Amino acid sequence: MSEAARFPMGRVPTDGVAPSAQTFGMAQRKLARYRAKRDFGRTSEPSGRRTRSRDADVLRFVVQKHAARRLHYDLRLELDGVFRSWAVTKGPSLDPGIKRLAVEVEDHPLDYGDFEGTIPQGEYGGGTVQLWDRGVWAPLPGVSAGAALKSGQLKFLLAGERLKGEWVLVRIKHDRDAGKRRNWLLIKHRDRYAREDGDRLLKSDRSIASGRRMAQIAAGKGKRPTPFMARQVRSRRRPEAGARVRGTGARKSERKSAPPKFVAPQLARLVERAPSDPGWGHEIKFDGYRMQMRVVDGLPTLRSRKGLDWTRRFPEIARDGGRLPDCLVDGEIVALDGHGVPSFSALQAALVKEETDRLIFFLFDLLHADGIDWRDRQLTERKARLSKLLDASGVEARLRFVEHFEIAADSLVRSACRMALEGILSKRLDSPYRSGRGDSWLKTKCRAGHEVVIGGWTVREGHLRSLLAGVHKDGRLAYVGRIGTGFGQRTVGPLLKRLKPLASGDSPFEGENAPRKTPEIRWAKPKLVAEIEFAGWTGDGMIRQAAFKGLREDKPAAEVEAEKPAARRPSRRGKATNSGNVVMSVTISNPDKALWPDAGDGRTVTKLDLARYFEAAGPWMLEHIRARPCSVVRAPDGIGGQRFFQRHAMPGTSNLIGLVRVADDRKPYLSVDSVEGLVAVGQSGGIELHPWNCEPGKPMVPGRLVFDFDPAPGVPFERVVDAAREARDRLDALGLAAFCKTTGGKGLHVVTPLAQARGARLDWKAAKEFARAFCAQMAADSPERYVLNMSKKARTGRIFLDYLRNGEKATAVAPLSPRAREGATVSMPIGWNQVKKGLDSANYTIRTATRLLAQAKPWADYGRSARPLPREILRRLR
């Protein structure tokens, strides 16, 4: 399998990976139908009774070209200990416009993934079978593979030799076979691997495992396929010193030498968004101890990133490493939790208990081997040699090679975050190995993590309550806040045992935020370094919602400094270092840039003010924008400058801002799914948010109706208030709930949350028609007050009833979204008791909205108020 096609770590947590004995027994029961169709005395197909397939921590797939009664291609996806299988009649197509029939067949044993040969005629499926493609796969984020298959729609990612990128299997609900067989459609998603000449790939007639053509396989000629699923017997004999190793790529000009004792490691620079340019490889970012292993004459030495000898701390890894030839390799030692996710706290527990036999050393770089210094060679060369070196040594249990992706970085980041991983590392594939921090290794994190110095702790009623944390700034230890969670019963004892000997009478902290002594505070000498996880930085440089993960012993306290994400290509002017420019770990460039002249109070509203507003209002806003396509009105030079409407990702878009795909649209839409994402919108100069009115995660399903009451010039606002209340009464008579918000301008919005009626699904066409008919009835009943015609001439003296925000892909300004208008107003949710004479939209601004929201708590029952349109109305609309 190619380097680019494999998944990047020894374990990718996913619901279908299950090497347990219990799952094996379940798989055996699933294979009853498979065995009933075959006579294993005649066919060489595996029975699966005594599986030879190796336990794997990723889901594997194969595609087998099968010349049976009709030529077809069998797609097999590993899940729950078996291969779920489909016969794709004309083969998979890379053209998203082509839908291929895929007939679901019986589950196959995992051993079948290595089967290539001829099934005798007269046997079920008699004909020649070729291993046409193989690799690993994963369901796309959002739903487990089992649940997706049960629902009839599985979206998944393939990383094979020939098939790559995103695909979908959709079950046909009603077909001419009347349920005798389960028919699906296999469709390629639009991505970088999609092709208009989608069938061109099918012309390839060489086995991915043996290189044989179908005719050679049928004739029994050529070499056997290389194993993929089965255990591979590897030689444990190491080459003699000085012996030539085939495939090392040794150059004549390179002189032989012993591996250096230690090389200062190459480090990654933190960025907000992973690079999307070609030429980068993306790996999973581990949460463990960085380590180098040097092996000379079978004697291994493990050294931390500061060069400390830690060989005795990891005896099992060292023992396995001794089977490697002379080399110097770079990687990370990790403990995996019950879900296969790297866990730093589990690593700490293993070290404290000296239970290190289950730790894994993930290797991602080769610095020296074959008597040659490999650091000047390209990363791809180093990793290729490292992979061969590990394969030849048979040490895969504890020493695992780290694969990399060359797919879109943003999708990998989202997948890593969904699986609760720390993030990803992006590396230039053509770069040499260079000690220190540079631009060829970049790291992108899912949730902020940091190292801090412990400068004290607090106690209450004799128990540890929190740790006092700091980082070094300008030669002093600056206080950054308290760590109040993450102390389990097993953690507190060992932690206090390390802290109490460091007790001090003096505070180690300096600066404005340094805490004053209180009875509960105990100062400590700043010697211990802790790893924390936190929700981001506040405006004054303090950590938010910090949780303790463990103590680090591989980094001196004096080297712990604040680490902030930087733009991938920093400007020549340099980057700000003021911690006040950071909101929830997002660095705000040009924080003092004025976006509004004032907010009705004579003070300018800056870009930093906008970011802090999103931080405060974000938790409330997310209910109304999360998991929906969302357009953004950007005004990077302020409301007096140029504005533009952004629907799709652009170069430089933060990876904190998500993407959502919509059927038949080539480009994915922006989606803001976190408060950090809102802050990133503010950093980009995004002022207004206009989400679709769909259900979360379902762009094609209406989730709410928005009626916009837009008065003509000169119409008193009291009449707009009356119109909104009339709409509420009419909706209430139909059994629908109604909520009101200001638009941030001269109008009001009435919002109705929708639910789907059983057996009577509401689509966008019907939703828009209902909104039109509703407004038309209001206009017909009071033609002197309302109009459906948006032309200025027709609107004179009346209120335009805008129903057009209720169609497919139509948007409406989000609740609490700022408006690019004078006064820095927002679209404010309000209670019906506030919708009365004297209501003034100008009172709701970036500076007042969150305070007023906390006081009034409007829309409290919005999430429980969704109702379906009455059935008789739905029948009429159809």
Side-chain angles (χ1 to χ4, degrees):
M1 193 163 51
S2 70
E3 302 296 328
R6 298 181 186 173
F7 274 54
M9 62 182 285
R11 181 175 178 94
V12 176
T14 179
D15 56 86
V17 175
S20 68
Q22 179 182 0
T23 303
F24 176 76
M26 183 174 64
Q28 293 298 302
R29 291 190 291 273
K30 290 181 178 182
L31 295 175
R33 186 175 165 214
Y34 167 85
R35 296 191 183 110
K37 291 175 175 283
R38 290 162 175 82
D39 180 357
F40 295 107
R42 296 193 64 219
T43 179
S44 59
E45 297 168 278
S47 68
R49 293 187 187 277
R50 298 180 66 181
T51 182
R52 295 180 301 112
S53 63
R54 68 179 187 270
D55 292 344
D57 297 321
V58 291
L59 293 174
R60 296 161 287 190
F61 83 93
V62 296
V63 177
Q64 288 164 315
K65 189 176 180 180
H66 190 173
R69 184 175 56 179
R70 294 195 188 102
L71 178 66
H72 64 274
Y73 291 74
D74 293 312
L75 169 65
R76 310 195 193 281
L77 303 178
E78 179 183 2
L79 193 66
D80 297 329
V82 296
F83 272 129
R84 297 290 294 269
S85 299
W86 292 261
V88 185
T89 53
K90 296 183 179 179
S93 175
L94 301 183
D95 185 348
I98 294 178
K99 302 174 182 179
R100 286 285 154 81
L101 177 64
V103 181
E104 186 173 5
V105 298
E106 72 278 4
D107 295 340
H108 282 52
L110 294 183
D111 293 356
Y112 214 94
D114 284 336
F115 176 69
E116 182 175 270
T118 299
I119 303 171
Q121 294 300 322
E123 278 295 300
Y124 178 75
T128 303
V129 177
Q130 178 194 78
L131 286 166
W132 187 81
D133 195 19
R134 60 189 185 183
V136 291
W137 77 281
L140 292 184
V143 64
S144 70
L149 285 169
K150 189 174 181 180
S151 71
Q153 186 177 86
L154 172 64
K155 298 178 180 179
F156 57 99
L157 180 74
L158 293 180
E161 294 283 354
R162 287 175 171 145
L163 300 183
K164 297 180 174 65
E166 295 181 11
W167 298 73
V168 63
L169 275 165
V170 181
R171 187 167 60 231
I172 302 174
K173 293 183 179 179
H174 304 288
D175 57 53
R176 61 189 178 187
D177 289 315
K180 293 179 181 178
R181 61 181 185 177
R182 301 176 71 185
N183 291 340
W184 299 65
L185 295 175
L186 177 65
I187 308 168
K188 180 77 183 75
H189 275 178
R190 295 189 184 278
D191 57 21
R192 61 184 292 194
Y193 301 108
R195 300 288 185 272
E196 290 184 2
D197 55 344
D199 288 348
R200 185 176 182 180
L201 192 63
L202 299 177
K203 295 179 181 179
S204 177
D205 183 33
R206 286 209 179 266
S207 166
I208 212 72
S210 67
R212 297 186 293 176
R213 299 183 184 276
M214 291 288 281
Q216 292 176 287
I217 298 171
K221 297 180 179 179
K223 66 177 184 178
R224 296 175 59 85
T226 56
F228 176 55
M229 306 297 295
R231 299 182 187 275
Q232 300 180 40
V233 180
R234 296 187 175 99
S235 170
R236 299 195 176 192
R237 181 184 175 190
R238 290 176 39 216
E240 298 297 327
R244 178 176 178 81
V245 181
R246 183 176 298 178
T248 62
R251 298 166 183 168
K252 293 181 179 180
S253 60
E254 292 172 316
R255 300 179 64 182
K256 304 289 184 177
S257 63
K261 290 185 178 180
F262 177 73
V263 172
Q266 180 159 352
L267 304 173
R269 187 163 60 87
L270 180 64
V271 293
E272 290 181 5
R273 185 181 180 87
S276 57
D277 316 342
W280 290 86
H282 308 288
E283 301 171 353
I284 291 298
K285 187 178 188 306
F286 297 100
D287 195 3
Y289 277 129
R290 182 76 175 273
M291 203 68 54
Q292 285 181 16
M293 176 182 279
R294 180 180 186 257
V295 181
V296 176
D297 294 332
L299 297 177
T301 305
L302 289 163
R303 293 189 183 275
S304 72
R305 62 179 175 180
K306 299 305 293 182
L308 302 176
D309 189 339
W310 281 19
T311 310
R312 292 185 178 181
R313 305 192 70 176
F314 305 105
E316 296 86 1
I317 289 174
R319 183 176 62 245
D320 282 10
R323 291 155 57 184
L324 296 176
D326 290 4
C327 63
L328 181 64
V329 293
D330 192 2
E332 191 146 346
I333 293 180
V334 170
L336 302 179
D337 65 15
H339 301 288
V341 176
S343 169
F344 188 75
S345 58
L347 177 60
Q348 285 287 296
L351 289 171
V352 170
K353 297 178 182 179
E354 297 185 353
E355 297 175 354
T356 56
D357 58 311
R358 301 185 66 180
L359 301 182
I360 307 297
F361 192 12
F362 287 103
L363 298 169
F364 46 69
D365 218 322
L366 177 70
L367 282 63
H368 197 283
D370 316 311
I372 298 166
D373 188 337
W374 285 73
R375 285 176 289 173
D376 285 336
R377 300 199 186 187
Q378 295 185 0
L379 176 63
T380 50
E381 291 185 65
R382 302 197 305 271
K383 292 192 71 171
R385 178 64 190 117
L386 175 61
S387 178
K388 291 181 180 179
L389 184 148
L390 292 173
D391 282 346
S393 302
V395 292
E396 62 184 10
R398 290 192 180 92
L399 275 62
R400 300 186 188 176
F401 179 69
V402 178
E403 304 281 1
H404 62 263
F405 277 128
E406 293 180 57
I407 63 172
D410 286 347
S411 63
L412 186 59
V413 170
R414 287 194 296 274
S415 295
C417 296
R418 178 181 67 88
M419 295 188 290
L421 299 172
E422 192 178 6
I424 69 169
L425 279 170
S426 303
K427 301 177 180 179
R428 287 287 315 178
L429 296 174
D430 60 356
S431 65
Y433 189 98
R434 291 292 179 261
S435 300
R437 211 176 299 276
D439 290 330
S440 58
W441 286 20
L442 305 175
K443 58 184 175 182
T444 312
K445 292 186 177 182
C446 293
R447 178 173 166 85
H450 212 288
E451 295 152 354
V452 295
V453 178
I454 300 176
W457 72 98
T458 65
V459 295
R460 188 177 302 167
E461 298 178 356
H463 298 290
L464 175 69
R465 304 302 299 177
S466 65
L467 300 174
L468 307 181
V471 296
H472 288 283
K473 295 180 181 178
D474 302 323
R476 62 184 184 179
L477 186 64
Y479 179 69
V480 294
R482 297 190 180 195
I483 307 163
T485 61
F487 314 116
Q489 291 182 351
R490 298 179 180 179
T491 309
V492 172
L495 180 58
L496 285 174
K497 190 175 180 180
R498 299 287 302 277
L499 275 172
K500 287 181 178 180
L502 298 175
S504 171
D506 300 319
S507 170
F509 302 110
E510 300 180 53
E512 297 178 1
N513 294 329
R516 296 181 179 180
K517 184 72 169 73
T518 65
E520 66 177 9
I521 287 181
R522 308 287 187 270
W523 303 122
K525 297 175 183 177
K527 300 292 185 181
L528 296 181
V529 177
E531 178 83 11
I532 65 168
E533 184 176 76
F534 66 117
W537 299 92
T538 65
D540 56 353
M542 307 295 281
I543 51 179
R544 295 176 60 250
Q545 303 172 23
F548 177 77
K549 294 177 66 178
L551 294 176
R552 296 208 72 106
E553 300 180 45
D554 56 342
K555 187 170 185 177
E559 295 184 9
V560 175
E561 298 179 345
E563 183 181 49
K564 305 291 176 59
R568 195 161 66 85
R569 293 186 177 90
S571 66
R572 293 181 180 178
R573 292 176 294 177
K575 53 187 178 183
T577 57
N578 183 356
S579 62
N581 298 349
V582 179
V583 179
M584 298 191 76
S585 78
V586 178
T587 302
I588 309 301
S589 60
N590 300 317
D592 298 326
K593 178 181 283 293
L595 298 182
W596 287 269
D598 71 276
D601 55 4
R603 292 184 294 138
T604 58
V605 180
T606 66
K607 189 175 176 182
L608 184 59
D609 292 332
L610 174 64
R612 288 176 176 166
Y613 170 77
F614 280 139
E615 179 185 26
W620 199 95
M621 295 178 69
L622 286 180
E623 178 183 359
H624 306 283
I625 62 175
R626 180 189 278 125
R628 301 172 177 90
C630 185
S631 300
V632 177
V633 175
R634 291 176 58 187
D637 294 320
I639 65 170
Q642 184 180 7
R643 309 178 197 177
F644 60 94
F645 205 66
Q646 182 180 348
R647 296 180 178 86
H648 309 288
M650 301 168 59
T653 300
S654 171
N655 66 359
L656 296 173
I657 301 172
L659 299 175
V660 59
R661 293 189 177 276
V662 177
D664 300 326
D665 280 5
R666 185 175 294 273
K667 292 183 178 180
Y669 290 81
L670 298 179
S671 177
V672 184
D673 305 321
S674 66
V675 179
E676 290 87 348
L678 279 169
V679 175
V681 168
Q683 153 59 20
S684 72
I687 290 179
E688 298 185 2
L689 292 102
H690 293 255
W692 288 18
N693 293 315
C694 60
E695 285 190 6
K698 300 178 180 178
M700 292 297 105
V701 180
R704 60 188 171 218
L705 298 174
V706 178
F707 300 97
D708 185 2
F709 298 91
D710 188 6
V715 174
F717 192 67
E718 288 80 2
R719 284 179 53 186
V720 181
V721 168
D722 292 340
R725 297 184 73 88
E726 178 184 343
R728 177 201 60 178
D729 295 341
R730 288 174 178 260
L731 290 167
D732 184 65
L734 294 172
L736 299 173
F739 297 83
C740 189
K741 66 184 180 76
T742 67
T743 63
K746 58 185 179 178
L748 291 173
H749 283 171
V750 173
V751 181
T752 301
L754 294 175
Q756 293 291 321
R758 290 185 179 179
R761 195 164 184 82
L762 179 68
D763 58 19
W764 282 114
K765 183 178 179 181
K768 184 177 180 180
E769 178 55 28
F770 170 77
R772 188 205 65 78
F774 181 88
C775 291
Q777 188 63 54
M778 286 185 65
D781 292 344
S782 303
E784 75 286 356
R785 303 183 66 183
Y786 308 127
V787 64
L788 264 66
N789 191 326
M790 65 188 303
S791 69
K792 290 184 179 181
K793 184 177 180 181
R795 293 169 61 182
T796 302
R798 293 186 284 184
I799 297 172
F800 170 47
L801 304 181
D802 185 357
Y803 64 89
L804 298 174
R805 303 184 184 280
N806 300 295
E808 182 180 337
K809 300 184 181 180
T811 66
V813 67
L816 286 177
S817 169
R819 301 308 304 267
R821 296 177 178 177
E822 296 291 338
T825 56
V826 303
S827 180
M828 184 71 183
I830 53 178
W832 284 109
N833 62 333
Q834 298 170 280
V835 186
K836 60 185 179 181
K837 185 177 181 179
L839 175 64
D840 187 354
S841 297
N843 291 334
Y844 305 109
T845 70
I846 278 182
R847 292 212 169 93
T848 64
T850 53
R851 173 174 53 83
L852 296 173
L853 186 72
Q855 292 174 354
K857 295 182 173 59
W859 292 32
D861 56 348
Y862 179 92
R864 302 185 298 272
S865 300
R867 304 285 186 273
L869 292 184
R871 289 182 178 273
E872 58 272 19
I873 291 178
L874 285 173
R875 282 195 293 268
R876 277 187 235 159
L877 293 174
R878 289 187 173 87

